[in-house]
Amino acid sequence: MYRRILVAIDGSRAAELALAEAVNLAREQRASLRILHVIDQGLTMPPDVLSANLAEFDENLYVRGKALLDAAEARAREAEVQVEGVLVEEVGQRAGGFIVQQAQEWPADLIICGTHGRRGLARLALGSDAEYVVRRATVPVLLLRSPD
């Protein structure tokens, strides 16, 4: 049924659940898997970084993202899934926008994402990339909520 599955990871527990589901589903469906990690410098920059070396901070984000992506790809390969990792380093667009864009460009026929299940003011203040993807994706979206 699914031939091309896109999963977004960010290192969170919810993303780990999404990756596990994506690997299992890709193996069962004999589908290709694209794993996406978006480096979002604008949202992850701590206040104390203003006095630090910004180039070093950017490099650390890249190294962390690349390590996360490499580990996820290895996990998929161990399950004998055809996998490709994509690391996006851009500022100015929310992560959900890059997920939808990748799904369209690749093209994926299923998107899998984790969700943190924020409600109320936290959701309004922080927004929800998962909700953004659900509202704008042109293919089915499977959301996995972290029990945390």
Side-chain angles (χ1 to χ4, degrees), residues 2 10 16 36 53 56 59 68 72 81 85-86 89-90 93 95 113 116 118 124 127 132 137 141 144 148:
Y2 299 113
D10 64 5
E16 282 295 314
L36 174 66
N53 181 343
E56 183 178 321
E59 180 64 22
L68 187 65
V81 169
V86 176
E89 303 177 76
E90 301 229 10
Q93 179 174 297
C113 300
H116 301 287
R118 293 186 181 100
L124 288 174
Y132 183 94
V141 178
L144 287 110
D148 301 339

Side-chain angles (χ1 to χ4, degrees), residues 9-10 36-46 49 57-58 60-66 68 86-99 126-129:
I9 61 170
D10 64 5
L36 174 66
H37 176 71
V38 178
I39 297 174
D40 190 350
Q41 294 143 329
L43 294 177
T44 58
M45 191 175 297
V49 83
F57 181 74
D58 288 347
N60 288 339
L61 284 176
Y62 175 82
V63 168
R64 181 184 172 277
K66 182 75 171 110
L68 187 65
V86 176
L87 185 65
V88 177
E89 303 177 76
E90 301 229 10
V91 179
Q93 179 174 297
R94 62 191 305 165
F98 289 111
I99 295 167
L126 299 173
S128 168
D129 285 309

Side-chain angles (χ1 to χ4, degrees), residues 2-147:
Y2 299 113
R3 294 288 156 229
R4 297 165 74 92
I5 299 171
L6 175 71
V7 62
I9 61 170
D10 64 5
S12 67
R13 177 71 181 130
E16 282 295 314
L17 294 172
L19 177 62
E21 185 67 24
V23 168
N24 288 335
L25 191 56
R27 185 181 61 238
E28 290 171 6
Q29 299 279 313
R30 295 189 177 128
S32 297
L33 182 62
R34 178 172 278 194
I35 304 171
L36 174 66
H37 176 71
V38 178
I39 297 174
D40 190 350
Q41 294 143 329
L43 294 177
T44 58
M45 191 175 297
D48 62 334
V49 83
L50 296 176
S51 62
N53 181 343
L54 291 177
E56 183 178 321
F57 181 74
D58 288 347
E59 180 64 22
N60 288 339
L61 284 176
Y62 175 82
V63 168
R64 181 184 172 277
K66 182 75 171 110
L68 187 65
L69 197 55
D70 288 346
E73 287 180 77
R75 186 170 172 182
R77 285 190 188 97
E78 287 174 13
E80 299 180 356
V81 169
Q82 181 183 352
V83 64
E84 171 187 20
V86 176
L87 185 65
V88 177
E89 303 177 76
E90 301 229 10
V91 179
Q93 179 174 297
R94 62 191 305 165
F98 289 111
I99 295 167
V100 171
Q101 181 181 353
Q102 280 289 314
Q104 291 170 344
E105 290 174 3
W106 184 34
D109 50 22
L110 175 68
I111 301 170
I112 301 178
C113 300
T115 178
H116 301 287
R118 293 186 181 100
R119 296 194 190 297
L121 293 176
R123 184 170 154 260
L124 288 174
L126 299 173
S128 168
D129 285 309
E131 181 178 356
Y132 183 94
V133 171
V134 167
R135 290 184 183 272
R136 288 170 177 81
T138 57
V139 298
V141 178
L142 174 61
L143 297 179
L144 287 110
R145 183 174 175 185
S146 175

